[in-house]
Amino acid sequence: MTDGAASVHADVTVTDAPASKRYEARIGDDIAGVAAYLRTPDMIAFIHTEVKDAYEGRGVGSALARTALDAARAQGLRVLAICPFFEGWLGKHPEYADLLYVPASNVSD
């Protein structure tokens, strides 16, 4: 991901912080929420999303998800939603379904 890539949603600014392996959502100077990820050359896995209580209901989580997923699309990455927030958000936004990682293996127990 590009260091310093940012997106703004209303009063929420979202920036990728690759050194910390997370997207950071800011309102003013405060970090209002984060979306932590693990990344491979072909995929990004969102493992945890957290929004501070004081910023709940202000679109912080949606701004994190939309910015991160738009960046994944632009970079040709598949998305693995380990985090329940990202999994739920993706379920409500079918326009991002094409990004979902699908395992190539059909192996089962």
Side-chain angles (χ1 to χ4, degrees):
M1 310 243 156
T2 305
D3 207 357
S7 177
V8 177
H9 300 272
D11 60 343
V12 181
T13 302
V14 178
T15 306
D16 185 12
S20 299
K21 297 181 183 173
R22 67 186 195 176
Y23 280 87
E24 297 175 345
R26 293 181 184 272
I27 296 179
D29 292 332
D30 293 336
I31 293 180
V34 297
Y37 61 79
L38 297 174
R39 186 180 164 166
T40 71
D42 301 324
M43 180 182 64
I44 186 165
F46 292 97
I47 57 173
H48 179 71
T49 304
E50 188 172 331
V51 175
K52 290 182 180 177
D53 291 343
Y55 297 106
E56 286 287 334
R58 294 181 62 180
V60 173
S62 289
L64 283 164
R66 194 171 302 281
T67 301
L69 295 171
D70 287 346
R73 176 173 279 135
Q75 296 170 31
L77 297 175
R78 290 288 174 215
V79 172
L80 179 59
I82 296 169
C83 166
F85 174 80
F86 263 79
E87 183 179 28
W89 197 91
L90 282 162
K92 295 175 186 173
H93 294 86
E95 65 271 26
Y96 289 98
D98 62 303
L99 296 176
L100 293 176
Y101 170 77
V102 178
S105 174
N106 292 325
V107 175
S108 62
D109 290 342

